[in-house]
Amino acid sequence: MNEDGTGLLTIGELARLTGVPVKTIRSWSDQDLLPPAARTPAGYRLYGPDAPARLEIVRSLRELGIGLTAIRSVLHRERTVAETAEQWADALDAQIRTLRLQSAVLRSVAARGSAAEELPYMTELARLSARERRRIITDFVEDALDGVDAPAYRSGLLAATPDLPDDPTPEQIGAWIELAALVREPELRAALRRLAEYSARTAPPAGEPDAKSEPYAPEERHVPEERHAPGASHATTEPRTAAAPDPAMQEQAAQEQAAARVAELMRVRGEAAVAAGIAPDSPAAEPVIAELVAAWLPTQTGTADPPTEDNPAARARLLEQLETAAEPVVERYWQLLCTVTGRPAPPRWDTAGAWTTAALRAHPRPYGLDRSAFDGTDPDRVLRAYEQVTRDVAALVAAVRPEDLALPTPCAGWSVRQLLDHMVWENLMATSIAEDAPRGDHTADHLGDDHRAAFDDSVRAALAAFTGSGMLRRTYGPYEAPGAMVVQQVVVELLAHGWDLARATGAPTGLAPEAAEETLAAARRIYGAAPRTEGSSFAPERPAPPGASATDRLAAFLGRDPA
């Protein structure tokens, strides 16, 4: 307070009292936000007792981002604080949306490594209206499917529009930018055209009910309700009303729901088979395929020449559907659409799809499961065989030099490093099955910088899991495959791949002679009935030269050339 007893404050005193700089107080005073109550004879400003409170109001409103003009209206009682707050909150929301858009564009630029020339286009994409976004997708679909007589498939694609919410997240904006770029790619256009051509090719003759034979595409279950379920070839884009139900539409909806259930069954069964360590070309895979085919057959009612029973023709058609739908770029298209629209991401189909298609190729015709393949597996002998095989294979692995890692091997075009990584994975996967926590990181690098330590560690972990979990005397999967047989499969794999490694590095191939004969017998028991087709893990059996070791004969049985 001024010492003259008037109760007035100088600008310096007001600044010290409130912590607001003199320069700021002077500026606000000049803009009529904090008018002085009086002036000294020398012209210096003096402020009244209410000035500190008024100054705090101004400062608070400024910190909230409210402009000086709006603050002046509040102080002059032209507008209430509530009215001003609502107005500026709306303006701030708009600014936040703009900042989110800018952030999404910048993050997309960084992630894509975009050139400077792309910036204007990407910014323009982010600012498009809903009508303009739909037009991009519509033009893309019409162009990709031009000349293909697949109206139901086309309508299903057109029904799935990239509708961003009013307040999209940076992730949604980024997904839209990527989607808009993806629809310009020839690869996506060609993939969608192939799916449409399949739909047209498998449609029923004119005048018959719509077919339910489109390729299974699990990712399409999560687009708008008007989209068709996997396996269905018809979708409606008409709005649903409260009118009396149309029997034809009810039948269509029921068929679509049935196709969706089959697709989900395939995903669940395929993932369960992988988790249980069931090889696609092993006898234990046949009952899984038989179950899936039986569930799938009713969804083909109304197709051209529909299959009615599980036979080679039915399995070939299902395999064709799965292979036709196996389009990663199309899966990405639907994933981006789900992200843009805020719908849940579709379940991954790659693991189950790869297993199911491989199993269908390996089992082109039905045959009864011979449970004798499960019999005769002595847990103690299997464990000893595992120990003997891993002992000899570990010695081979220890002899591999860094320069040997790039050498080719007899196995599927793999290098020595890729082969070793797979062998480590076999141990890790078996360990995870024993621990009831199946791994899903098949494509990861399991070897690291020290291939010897990686293999030795994986063997120790597997042995501990086999003996500590009771795996050797438990059963796994819906068909109760003995755990000892799962381990026996690992023994077969490691011995066969050990032979591959020996051939690649020039080492002797007569590995684990104590266990090789019974491992060969186990391989014949497990894989003897499986067809050696394109989808099999093993090529047709080769002849073994006279006097060949049991390991050489195992390699020949599994399709290697031991000569």
Side-chain angles (χ1 to χ4, degrees), residues 174-534:
W176 160 243
I177 291 173
E178 183 181 345
L179 179 64
L182 185 63
V183 299
R184 300 167 64 192
E185 295 294 330
E187 182 185 1
L188 176 60
R189 292 169 184 255
L192 284 181
R193 189 174 185 87
R194 285 193 294 271
L195 291 172
E197 289 171 342
Y198 181 90
S199 176
R201 189 170 67 253
T202 57
E208 293 187 12
D210 285 341
K212 307 298 171 195
S213 59
E214 276 193 18
Y216 280 77
E219 67 275 10
E220 299 180 19
R221 290 199 299 273
H222 296 269
V223 295
E225 287 186 357
E226 291 79 7
R227 271 293 294 151
H228 59 277
S233 64
H234 177 76
T236 176
T237 56
E238 296 297 323
R240 304 185 189 275
T241 67
D246 183 335
M249 292 184 64
Q250 287 183 320
E251 174 64 18
Q252 172 197 319
Q255 289 174 322
E256 290 176 354
Q257 291 170 0
R261 286 194 295 270
V262 172
E264 180 63 11
L265 178 66
M266 287 184 179
R267 185 184 69 80
V268 171
R269 289 290 186 265
E271 291 181 353
V274 172
I278 298 175
D281 51 1
S282 70
E286 166 57 27
V288 182
I289 293 301
E291 178 188 8
L292 297 180
V293 173
W296 165 81
L297 284 171
T299 68
Q300 301 304 291
T301 303
T303 65
D305 191 23
T308 58
E309 63 179 354
D310 185 355
N311 57 30
R315 294 192 177 201
R317 177 179 289 194
L318 176 55
L319 177 60
E320 182 186 20
Q321 288 186 5
L322 292 173
E323 290 178 329
T324 302
E327 298 279 5
V329 68
V330 176
E331 180 180 2
R332 183 59 181 162
Y333 174 83
W334 290 113
Q335 287 173 339
L336 290 170
L337 268 176
C338 289
T339 301
V340 168
T341 57
R343 290 180 172 84
R348 295 294 301 268
W349 176 252
D350 49 356
T351 298
W355 187 92
T356 306
T357 52
L360 280 167
R361 294 191 197 102
H363 303 277
R365 57 185 56 82
Y367 66 90
L369 174 64
D370 181 6
R371 294 196 68 88
S372 65
F374 291 172
D375 300 334
T377 307
D378 184 312
D380 295 329
R381 293 185 68 85
V382 168
L383 184 61
R384 283 197 299 273
Y386 180 84
E387 292 172 335
Q388 291 164 6
V389 168
T390 54
R391 177 200 63 203
D392 284 10
V393 173
L396 283 178
V397 174
V400 172
R401 302 165 300 176
E403 57 267 29
D404 295 333
L405 294 174
L407 291 174
T409 73
C411 187
W414 283 349
S415 67
V416 166
R417 192 186 195 286
Q418 291 169 314
L419 182 70
L420 292 175
D421 186 88
H422 178 74
M423 294 165 72
V424 171
W425 160 256
E426 288 286 347
N427 284 323
L428 296 177
M429 186 63 188
T431 302
S432 68
I433 293 172
E435 295 172 345
D436 295 317
R439 302 171 69 102
D441 58 342
H442 181 269
T443 59
D445 178 12
H446 307 97
L447 213 57
D449 297 328
D450 189 339
H451 57 275
R452 302 175 183 88
F455 185 80
D456 290 344
D457 290 346
S458 71
V459 170
R460 280 193 292 270
L463 280 171
F466 297 161
T467 56
S469 66
M471 178 183 189
L472 293 165
R473 289 174 170 79
R474 293 169 57 193
T475 59
Y476 293 83
Y479 300 98
E480 299 184 343
M485 194 183 82
V486 176
V487 177
Q488 184 77 75
Q489 286 179 290
V490 177
V491 175
V492 173
E493 285 274 334
L494 291 178
L495 187 55
H497 290 314
W499 184 92
D500 293 328
L501 180 59
R503 289 295 291 265
T505 58
T509 58
L511 304 172
E514 314 97 305
E517 286 287 358
E518 62 187 73
T519 301
L520 173 58
R524 292 188 181 281
R525 185 176 67 251
I526 296 171
Y527 299 112
R532 301 297 181 96
T533 63
E534 180 185 348

Side-chain angles (χ1 to χ4, degrees), residues 117-196:
E117 293 77 11
E118 294 182 87
L119 282 173
Y121 174 71
M122 295 177 68
T123 303
E124 179 185 355
L125 281 176
R127 291 175 175 168
L128 291 179
S129 66
R131 180 187 295 272
E132 291 168 329
R133 288 193 300 273
R134 284 194 291 270
R135 173 53 56 189
I136 287 177
I137 300 300
T138 299
D139 290 348
F140 156 69
V141 171
E142 295 293 356
D143 180 63
L145 274 56
D146 183 42
V148 181
D149 184 19
Y153 190 79
R154 176 183 281 101
S155 66
L157 287 172
L158 293 175
T161 55
D163 295 325
L164 278 168
D166 293 335
D167 187 17
T169 65
E171 182 185 17
Q172 288 174 307
I173 296 173
W176 160 243
I177 291 173
E178 183 181 345
L179 179 64
L182 185 63
V183 299
R184 300 167 64 192
E185 295 294 330
E187 182 185 1
L188 176 60
R189 292 169 184 255
L192 284 181
R193 189 174 185 87
R194 285 193 294 271
L195 291 172

